[in-house]
Amino acid sequence: MSHYEMLVVLPPTPPDRYYEETAARLAPYRIELEVPEYRAYAAERPQDEGWVRGMRENGTLPEWDGLSWAEVAETVNRRLGHLPGDPDHVYVDEAGRGYFLSTYNPRGEWDYYSLHQQDGPYLLHLPEAAGDPRLLVHDDYEPDPERDGLHGLPHRCDGGPRGLLDFEALRDAHARTIGRRHDEWVASGGPRPCWPFPFTPDRAENLALARASALPGYALLRMDGNWTDIRRRGDSAAYWQETNDYLDALDPDAVVLAVSCHS
Protein backbone atom coordinates (compact mmCIF):
# COMPACT_ATOMS: atom_id res chain seq x y z
CA MET A 1 0.00 0.00 0.00
CA SER A 2 1.33 3.44 -0.88
CA HIS A 3 0.38 7.05 -1.51
CA TYR A 4 1.39 8.88 -4.65
CA GLU A 5 0.67 12.18 -6.37
CA MET A 6 -0.58 12.39 -9.94
CA LEU A 7 -2.08 14.87 -12.40
CA VAL A 8 -5.45 14.57 -14.10
CA VAL A 9 -6.07 16.61 -17.25
CA LEU A 10 -9.64 17.62 -18.13
CA PRO A 11 -11.01 19.46 -21.14
CA PRO A 12 -12.29 22.97 -20.40
CA THR A 13 -14.48 22.37 -17.35
CA PRO A 14 -16.30 24.72 -14.96
CA PRO A 15 -14.90 24.53 -11.42
CA ASP A 16 -18.14 23.20 -9.93
CA ARG A 17 -17.63 20.05 -12.03
CA TYR A 18 -13.95 19.42 -11.21
CA TYR A 19 -14.71 16.68 -8.68
CA GLU A 20 -17.40 15.02 -10.78
CA GLU A 21 -15.29 14.96 -13.95
CA THR A 22 -12.23 13.72 -12.07
CA ALA A 23 -14.27 10.88 -10.55
CA ALA A 24 -15.61 9.86 -13.96
CA ARG A 25 -12.16 9.79 -15.55
CA LEU A 26 -10.51 7.91 -12.70
CA ALA A 27 -13.33 5.34 -12.41
CA PRO A 28 -11.90 2.86 -14.98
CA TYR A 29 -8.71 2.63 -12.89
CA ARG A 30 -10.35 1.78 -9.55
CA ILE A 31 -8.82 -1.39 -8.11
CA GLU A 32 -12.15 -2.70 -6.77
CA LEU A 33 -13.89 -2.33 -10.14
CA GLU A 34 -14.99 -5.78 -11.32
CA VAL A 35 -14.70 -6.50 -15.03
CA PRO A 36 -15.99 -9.39 -17.18
CA GLU A 37 -14.10 -12.61 -16.49
CA TYR A 38 -10.85 -12.95 -18.41
CA ARG A 39 -7.75 -15.12 -18.47
CA ALA A 40 -5.06 -13.75 -16.16
CA TYR A 41 -1.94 -15.45 -17.47
CA ALA A 42 0.95 -16.50 -15.29
CA ALA A 43 4.58 -16.35 -16.40
CA GLU A 44 5.51 -18.39 -19.44
CA ARG A 45 7.66 -20.70 -17.31
CA PRO A 46 6.34 -21.97 -13.96
CA GLN A 47 9.81 -21.48 -12.48
CA ASP A 48 9.44 -17.71 -12.96
CA GLU A 49 6.38 -17.49 -10.68
CA GLY A 50 7.12 -16.74 -7.02
CA TRP A 51 4.15 -18.76 -5.76
CA VAL A 52 5.38 -21.79 -7.73
CA ARG A 53 8.84 -21.46 -6.19
CA GLY A 54 7.23 -21.18 -2.76
CA MET A 55 5.23 -24.38 -3.31
CA ARG A 56 8.39 -26.18 -4.36
CA GLU A 57 10.09 -25.02 -1.17
CA ASN A 58 7.23 -26.18 1.07
CA GLY A 59 6.93 -29.53 -0.70
CA THR A 60 3.62 -29.02 -2.45
CA LEU A 61 5.39 -29.29 -5.80
CA PRO A 62 8.38 -31.52 -6.62
CA GLU A 63 11.86 -30.02 -6.97
CA TRP A 64 12.13 -30.34 -10.74
CA ASP A 65 13.25 -27.55 -13.04
CA GLY A 66 11.41 -29.04 -16.00
CA LEU A 67 7.94 -28.73 -14.44
CA SER A 68 5.28 -27.89 -17.01
CA TRP A 69 2.16 -25.84 -16.34
CA ALA A 70 0.07 -28.97 -16.87
CA GLU A 71 1.99 -30.71 -14.06
CA VAL A 72 1.75 -27.67 -11.81
CA ALA A 73 -1.99 -27.35 -12.41
CA GLU A 74 -2.71 -31.04 -11.84
CA THR A 75 -0.69 -31.18 -8.61
CA VAL A 76 -1.81 -27.88 -7.10
CA ASN A 77 -5.49 -28.30 -7.93
CA ARG A 78 -5.55 -31.88 -6.61
CA ARG A 79 -3.55 -31.33 -3.43
CA LEU A 80 -5.23 -28.06 -2.44
CA GLY A 81 -8.70 -28.98 -3.63
CA HIS A 82 -9.05 -26.09 -6.09
CA LEU A 83 -12.01 -27.02 -8.28
CA PRO A 84 -12.92 -25.35 -11.59
CA GLY A 85 -14.64 -22.08 -10.75
CA ASP A 86 -12.55 -21.52 -7.61
CA PRO A 87 -10.52 -18.28 -7.78
CA ASP A 88 -7.25 -20.19 -7.15
CA HIS A 89 -7.89 -22.98 -9.66
CA VAL A 90 -4.99 -23.19 -12.12
CA TYR A 91 -6.01 -23.60 -15.76
CA VAL A 92 -3.85 -24.49 -18.75
CA ASP A 93 -4.58 -23.24 -22.26
CA GLU A 94 -4.18 -24.98 -25.59
CA ALA A 95 -0.55 -23.93 -25.84
CA GLY A 96 0.32 -25.24 -22.35
CA ARG A 97 0.36 -21.82 -20.63
CA GLY A 98 -0.96 -21.46 -17.08
CA TYR A 99 -3.66 -18.95 -16.18
CA PHE A 100 -6.38 -18.07 -13.68
CA LEU A 101 -9.90 -16.81 -14.36
CA SER A 102 -10.25 -13.34 -12.89
CA THR A 103 -12.63 -10.40 -12.61
CA TYR A 104 -9.93 -8.21 -11.01
CA ASN A 105 -9.50 -4.92 -12.86
CA PRO A 106 -6.23 -5.28 -14.81
CA ARG A 107 -6.05 -1.49 -15.08
CA GLY A 108 -6.56 -0.96 -11.33
CA GLU A 109 -4.34 1.81 -9.93
CA TRP A 110 -6.11 3.25 -6.85
CA ASP A 111 -8.52 2.35 -4.06
CA TYR A 112 -9.15 5.92 -2.88
CA TYR A 113 -8.03 9.40 -3.84
CA SER A 114 -8.38 13.06 -2.90
CA LEU A 115 -7.98 16.40 -4.61
CA HIS A 116 -6.59 17.61 -1.27
CA GLN A 117 -2.89 16.74 -1.12
CA GLN A 118 -1.23 15.18 1.92
CA ASP A 119 1.84 17.40 1.91
CA GLY A 120 0.50 20.75 0.86
CA PRO A 121 -0.70 22.25 -2.45
CA TYR A 122 1.12 20.66 -5.36
CA LEU A 123 1.02 23.44 -7.97
CA LEU A 124 1.64 27.17 -8.32
CA HIS A 125 -0.53 29.68 -10.12
CA LEU A 126 0.41 32.95 -11.79
CA PRO A 127 0.45 35.88 -9.32
CA GLU A 128 -2.14 37.77 -11.36
CA ALA A 129 -4.51 34.77 -11.14
CA ALA A 130 -4.91 35.10 -7.35
CA GLY A 131 -8.56 34.87 -6.38
CA ASP A 132 -9.68 33.47 -9.73
CA PRO A 133 -12.62 31.14 -8.97
CA ARG A 134 -11.40 28.66 -11.59
CA LEU A 135 -8.44 27.74 -9.38
CA LEU A 136 -8.78 24.82 -6.97
CA VAL A 137 -7.45 26.15 -3.67
CA HIS A 138 -7.54 24.52 -0.23
CA ASP A 139 -6.56 26.77 2.69
CA ASP A 140 -6.51 24.26 5.54
CA TYR A 141 -3.05 22.75 5.04
CA GLU A 142 -0.50 22.21 7.79
CA PRO A 143 2.25 20.54 5.73
CA ASP A 144 5.49 19.18 7.12
CA PRO A 145 8.30 21.50 5.88
CA GLU A 146 10.58 18.48 5.47
CA ARG A 147 8.15 16.87 3.03
CA ASP A 148 6.81 20.01 1.38
CA GLY A 149 8.95 21.16 -1.54
CA LEU A 150 7.02 24.44 -1.80
CA HIS A 151 6.99 25.34 1.89
CA GLY A 152 6.44 29.04 2.50
CA LEU A 153 5.73 29.97 -1.12
CA PRO A 154 2.72 32.09 -2.14
CA HIS A 155 0.40 31.41 -5.08
CA ARG A 156 -0.12 27.74 -4.27
CA CYS A 157 -3.06 25.71 -5.54
CA ASP A 158 -4.20 22.20 -6.41
CA GLY A 159 -5.10 22.92 -10.00
CA GLY A 160 -7.06 24.95 -12.50
CA PRO A 161 -6.88 25.96 -16.16
CA ARG A 162 -3.43 25.50 -17.67
CA GLY A 163 -3.28 29.20 -18.58
CA LEU A 164 -3.51 30.19 -14.90
CA LEU A 165 -0.81 27.78 -13.69
CA ASP A 166 2.87 28.69 -13.48
CA PHE A 167 4.85 25.58 -14.37
CA GLU A 168 8.16 27.41 -14.70
CA ALA A 169 7.88 28.96 -11.23
CA LEU A 170 7.15 25.48 -9.89
CA ARG A 171 10.26 24.05 -11.54
CA ASP A 172 12.39 26.93 -10.27
CA ALA A 173 11.08 26.41 -6.73
CA HIS A 174 11.96 22.72 -6.74
CA ALA A 175 15.40 23.48 -8.14
CA ARG A 176 16.06 25.96 -5.31
CA THR A 177 14.97 23.38 -2.72
CA ILE A 178 17.16 20.67 -4.20
CA GLY A 179 20.10 23.05 -4.55
CA ARG A 180 19.83 23.85 -0.84
CA ARG A 181 19.57 20.17 0.06
CA HIS A 182 22.57 19.37 -2.13
CA ASP A 183 24.66 22.03 -0.39
CA GLU A 184 23.57 20.75 3.04
CA TRP A 185 24.49 17.22 2.01
CA VAL A 186 27.96 18.23 0.82
CA ALA A 187 28.59 20.30 3.95
CA SER A 188 27.46 17.58 6.35
CA GLY A 189 29.10 14.61 4.65
CA GLY A 190 26.04 12.58 5.62
CA PRO A 191 24.19 9.90 3.66
CA ARG A 192 23.04 10.72 0.15
CA PRO A 193 19.53 12.26 0.14
CA CYS A 194 16.87 10.31 -1.69
CA TRP A 195 14.08 12.92 -2.03
CA PRO A 196 12.57 13.11 -4.58
CA PHE A 197 15.32 11.13 -6.38
CA PRO A 198 18.74 9.78 -5.40
CA PHE A 199 21.16 12.72 -5.46
CA THR A 200 24.28 12.65 -7.59
CA PRO A 201 27.58 14.38 -6.66
CA ASP A 202 26.95 16.80 -9.56
CA ARG A 203 24.97 19.80 -8.29
CA ALA A 204 23.94 20.91 -11.78
CA GLU A 205 22.63 17.43 -12.55
CA ASN A 206 20.57 17.46 -9.35
CA LEU A 207 19.06 20.84 -10.29
CA ALA A 208 18.15 19.49 -13.73
CA LEU A 209 16.54 16.43 -12.16
CA ALA A 210 14.61 18.67 -9.77
CA ARG A 211 13.20 20.73 -12.62
CA ALA A 212 12.32 17.64 -14.66
CA SER A 213 10.53 15.89 -11.79
CA ALA A 214 8.82 18.93 -10.23
CA LEU A 215 5.58 18.73 -12.19
CA PRO A 216 4.83 15.19 -13.45
CA GLY A 217 4.28 13.33 -10.16
CA TYR A 218 4.11 9.54 -10.30
CA ALA A 219 1.32 9.32 -12.88
CA LEU A 220 -0.57 11.32 -15.49
CA LEU A 221 -4.13 10.78 -16.70
CA ARG A 222 -4.32 12.51 -20.06
CA MET A 223 -7.35 14.25 -21.48
CA ASP A 224 -8.03 11.27 -23.76
CA GLY A 225 -8.26 8.94 -20.73
CA ASN A 226 -4.84 7.35 -21.24
CA TRP A 227 -2.96 6.60 -17.99
CA THR A 228 0.84 6.70 -17.92
CA ASP A 229 3.18 6.42 -14.96
CA ILE A 230 6.82 5.87 -14.07
CA ARG A 231 6.36 2.13 -13.52
CA ARG A 232 4.60 1.50 -16.82
CA ARG A 233 7.09 3.66 -18.71
CA GLY A 234 9.96 1.83 -17.02
CA ASP A 235 12.20 4.89 -17.16
CA SER A 236 11.65 7.89 -14.90
CA ALA A 237 13.63 10.29 -17.12
CA ALA A 238 11.59 9.31 -20.19
CA TYR A 239 8.34 9.62 -18.23
CA TRP A 240 9.31 13.07 -16.95
CA GLN A 241 10.25 14.26 -20.45
CA GLU A 242 7.07 12.98 -22.08
CA THR A 243 4.85 14.34 -19.30
CA ASN A 244 6.46 17.77 -19.24
CA ASP A 245 6.21 18.04 -23.04
CA TYR A 246 2.54 17.07 -22.93
CA LEU A 247 1.64 19.48 -20.12
CA ASP A 248 3.59 22.39 -21.60
CA ALA A 249 1.73 21.99 -24.91
CA LEU A 250 -1.78 21.96 -23.41
CA ASP A 251 -4.38 24.49 -24.48
CA PRO A 252 -4.65 27.30 -21.88
CA ASP A 253 -8.26 26.32 -21.14
CA ALA A 254 -7.45 22.66 -20.38
CA VAL A 255 -7.73 21.93 -16.66
CA VAL A 256 -4.86 20.34 -14.73
CA LEU A 257 -5.70 18.96 -11.27
CA ALA A 258 -3.36 17.43 -8.69
CA VAL A 259 -4.70 14.22 -7.15
CA SER A 260 -3.38 12.30 -4.16
CA CYS A 261 -3.97 8.56 -4.63
CA HIS A 262 -3.66 5.46 -2.49
CA SER A 263 -3.15 1.95 -3.81
Side-chain angles (χ1 to χ4, degrees):
M1 297 291 184
S2 62
H3 286 273
Y4 59 89
E5 281 69 46
M6 67 173 297
L7 297 174
V8 173
V9 180
L10 307 177
T13 303
D16 62 354
R17 291 186 56 84
Y18 285 173
Y19 287 86
E20 183 178 351
E21 289 297 319
T22 299
R25 289 171 178 272
L26 284 173
Y29 299 97
R30 183 168 62 91
I31 290 173
E32 291 89 349
L33 178 67
E34 286 200 3
V35 299
E37 192 173 70
Y38 64 96
R39 292 182 177 186
Y41 276 93
E44 185 172 347
R45 300 189 324 141
Q47 295 82 358
D48 294 332
E49 282 286 348
W51 64 268
V52 171
R53 294 194 297 271
M55 287 189 172
R56 292 174 66 184
E57 292 171 0
N58 67 25
T60 302
L61 288 167
E63 284 286 341
W64 178 32
D65 288 338
L67 278 175
S68 68
W69 273 116
E71 291 164 325
V72 170
E74 192 282 327
T75 302
V76 169
N77 292 335
R78 173 172 48 81
R79 290 193 175 185
L80 300 183
H82 294 158
L83 301 175
D86 292 345
D88 293 322
H89 184 86
V90 184
Y91 299 86
V92 181
D93 71 7
E94 303 79 5
R97 180 82 175 271
Y99 68 93
F100 299 91
L101 291 178
S102 177
T103 58
Y104 176 84
N105 184 7
R107 297 199 294 170
E109 298 288 351
W110 60 268
D111 53 14
Y112 65 83
Y113 69 89
S114 172
L115 272 70
H116 190 292
Q117 305 298 296
Q118 282 195 316
D119 300 319
Y122 188 83
L123 301 170
L124 296 177
H125 63 76
L126 295 169
E128 58 268 28
D132 193 302
R134 293 171 294 171
L135 291 172
L136 180 63
V137 178
H138 296 105
D139 56 8
D140 57 345
Y141 282 106
E142 294 183 5
D144 178 356
E146 287 301 309
R147 296 173 57 87
D148 179 13
L150 303 177
H151 183 69
L153 290 182
H155 313 312
R156 301 180 66 172
C157 66
D158 286 309
R162 164 68 182 95
L164 301 183
L165 302 179
D166 196 340
F167 291 169
E168 281 307 301
L170 180 72
R171 292 166 180 143
D172 290 343
H174 279 262
R176 288 194 298 272
T177 297
I178 294 306
R180 184 177 69 253
R181 289 176 180 250
H182 174 93
D183 295 340
E184 292 170 351
W185 170 46
V186 172
S188 69
R192 181 173 66 166
C194 233
W195 180 91
F197 49 80
F199 278 28
T200 76
D202 188 327
R203 190 178 192 277
E205 183 177 349
N206 289 333
L207 297 185
L209 289 170
R211 290 183 58 82
S213 63
L215 180 60
Y218 170 78
L220 170 72
L221 184 57
R222 300 181 184 229
M223 193 184 303
D224 63 4
N226 181 45
W227 178 294
T228 58
D229 60 45
I230 292 176
R231 175 181 56 83
R232 292 189 184 194
R233 188 62 179 83
D235 181 338
S236 58
Y239 168 75
W240 293 337
Q241 182 68 53
E242 292 171 2
T243 301
N244 281 310
D245 289 347
Y246 173 80
L247 294 168
D248 284 338
L250 284 174
D251 184 275
D253 292 326
V255 174
V256 181
L257 300 176
V259 178
S260 178
C261 289
H262 180 272
S263 66

